[in-house]
Amino acid sequence: MSLKDDVSPPVLVSFSVTRVCNLECKHCYSSSVEEPHPDELTTEEAKAVIEQIAKSGARLIIFDGGEPTMREDICELIGHAQEVGLRPLMGTNATLIDDDMAGRLKEAGLRAMAVSLDGADAETHDEWRGVEGTFNDTIRGIKTASKVGIPFQIGHCVYKHNIGQLPAIVDIARDLGAVAVEVFDFVASGRGLDNKEYELSRDERRDLIRQIIELQRGDDELVYRCIGVPEFWVEVEKTVPEDEVMMKFVRSCCGAGIRYACVMYDGTVYPCMLLQKEAGNVREKPFDEIWRTSEVFATLRNRDLLEGKCGRCEYRYVCGGTRCRVYEETGSLTAEDADCWFTEDEIARR
């Protein structure tokens, strides 16, 4: 298949450089363990992937895992990303960031971190993350990185047992000096498939995003993003005045295969870390070619292929339904999102 020159470049590519992790989180999309994958990309292979990501036109790369700070060459990879014109970011649990690691990350050119904090207290966070003491270690790591001038945002996964803790998480984020709070709906993928009982109900999910909207409307300092609930932007359009939307809100509908993709530690390319439908492998074809030619990506980009209520929805190009959850439940990239709460009348723009 020839390259498609009319395909827009990705804005952000997540590079999960290792499956190794020091924690045992219940929702881990990469099913992280203590040993590297036998087919983990080498340093030179990883550098080649970074170059391919830059060639695709991407602006941002986020180094993820597992826990990326457990890969010995992580600073070398961050430095290479900056050299080829990418803005390097990192998703981390921050537990291993001491003074030495923080200094090396800063020197390598890391621009910002997204740090996971899934509970507003040690009991909640440590139970979800599977290791006692994680909450305190994460807070310490955030403060250490902040001390050397690395900006950070808090990533907060919402599930059945912590659904009421978001306001307290916001307070912690503000006290620590975060620039944003990114709220993730728990979508069962990877190890999360063994913990589906923690998923929110449709009504809980609806109430959560309405809470996020109200938090953003009342906050002139923090930026709020919502991941895993693309209906968020439909609610914003329906309930927030346009001038306020322009001033305060960051668009955060599903960008899988449209503005975003994920490269795994063994070279597999997915549309998203949560939508694990293989689009290709960088050991067989360069990332920039996969981005432009993959049928998986082409399907996700064409929202007119959506079925059922999603296909009838006039907001399908700003929402499209939670494709990762639909795929896990149906095996289809285009089936209706049965968890959408909008009525037939509400999916028509007025």
Side-chain angles (χ1 to χ4, degrees):
M1 185 181 297
S2 61
L3 293 180
K4 296 181 179 179
D5 294 329
D6 60 341
V7 173
S8 297
V11 174
L12 167 66
V13 177
S14 176
F15 190 5
S16 297
V17 292
T18 186
R19 72 173 184 179
V20 178
C21 191
N22 58 326
L23 305 183
E24 300 174 1
C25 307
K26 287 182 168 62
H27 63 311
C28 181
Y29 70 89
S30 59
S31 301
S32 296
V33 293
E34 295 180 351
E35 298 295 328
H37 191 279
D39 293 327
E40 183 174 282
L41 296 167
T42 66
T43 299
E44 292 309 309
E45 286 178 315
K47 284 184 173 181
V49 172
I50 292 167
E51 292 166 12
Q52 293 164 19
I53 290 170
K55 185 179 178 181
S56 75
R59 300 194 299 272
L60 307 173
I61 182 171
I62 181 164
F63 291 94
D64 211 331
E67 171 49 46
T69 59
M70 295 192 75
R71 181 155 170 154
E72 292 183 0
D73 60 359
I74 186 60
C75 291
E76 184 177 353
L77 298 182
I78 290 169
H80 189 65
Q82 180 161 264
E83 287 172 5
V84 298
L86 293 166
R87 183 180 177 89
L89 315 172
M90 189 170 72
T92 176
N93 60 44
T95 60
L96 303 177
I97 299 180
D98 55 15
D99 288 336
D100 176 66
M101 175 60 75
R104 291 195 292 120
L105 291 171
K106 178 69 173 179
E107 184 178 0
L110 185 69
R111 301 294 189 89
M113 302 188 316
V115 182
S116 302
L117 196 64
D118 299 324
D121 54 71
E123 181 181 2
T124 305
H125 181 78
D126 292 0
E127 193 275 336
W128 186 248
R129 293 268 154 181
V131 176
E132 188 174 352
T134 299
F135 180 84
N136 290 332
D137 289 344
T138 295
I139 298 296
R140 187 199 67 244
I142 290 172
K143 291 179 177 178
T144 302
S146 185
K147 187 169 59 177
V148 301
I150 301 176
F152 70 95
Q153 68 180 34
I154 294 297
H156 178 59
C157 180
V158 180
Y159 57 96
K160 284 286 188 184
H161 294 177
N162 74 348
I163 193 168
Q165 294 192 2
L166 180 55
I169 288 287
V170 170
D171 288 341
I172 293 172
R174 198 185 312 280
D175 289 344
L176 290 171
V179 297
V181 174
E182 196 162 64
V183 183
F184 293 78
D185 177 29
F186 169 49
V187 177
S189 182
R191 190 180 294 135
L193 291 170
D194 296 326
N195 296 289
K196 288 178 69 65
E197 69 274 14
Y198 290 100
E199 288 187 314
L200 302 182
S201 68
R202 181 192 306 182
D203 289 346
E204 287 171 331
R205 198 171 288 119
R206 178 200 62 205
D207 293 345
L208 171 66
I209 71 162
R210 290 177 177 174
Q211 180 184 27
I212 296 169
I213 290 170
E214 288 310 304
L215 284 168
Q216 183 66 90
R217 295 188 73 179
D219 199 325
D220 293 323
E221 297 177 3
L222 285 171
V223 173
Y224 296 78
R225 300 185 185 92
C226 182
I227 307 299
V229 193
E231 292 92 345
F232 173 82
W233 199 254
V234 182
E235 284 279 2
V236 169
E237 282 200 14
K238 286 180 173 295
T239 61
V240 182
E242 186 175 355
D243 59 342
E244 191 176 344
V245 172
M246 296 292 290
M247 291 294 294
K248 285 194 169 186
F249 285 81
V250 176
R251 186 178 293 273
S252 55
C253 60
C254 181
I258 301 171
R259 297 181 306 278
Y260 169 80
C262 177
V263 182
M264 299 299 287
Y265 42 77
D266 63 350
T268 303
V269 178
Y270 292 138
C272 171
M273 61 187 182
L274 297 173
L275 203 174
Q276 298 189 356
K277 170 73 170 175
E278 185 171 349
N281 191 293
V282 295
R283 283 188 164 124
E284 300 168 1
K285 187 182 294 186
F287 172 81
D288 50 306
E289 185 175 347
I290 295 171
W291 176 259
R292 289 172 173 81
T293 65
S294 166
E295 290 299 328
V296 172
F297 289 160
T299 299
L300 290 168
R301 290 166 189 156
N302 187 353
R303 296 286 173 85
D304 292 333
L305 295 177
L306 295 177
E307 304 168 46
K309 189 168 73 172
C310 287
R312 297 188 297 274
C313 181
E314 294 182 13
Y315 293 91
R316 63 187 177 277
Y317 272 88
V318 298
C319 174
T322 309
R323 291 297 105 198
C324 51
R325 181 178 291 110
V326 170
Y327 178 71
E328 287 293 347
E329 293 178 353
T330 69
S332 169
L333 293 173
T334 58
E336 175 183 308
D337 183 353
D339 286 327
C340 173
W341 56 85
F342 293 113
T343 65
E344 290 287 344
D345 184 61
E346 288 172 325
I347 64 174
R349 277 193 165 108
R350 302 300 184 192

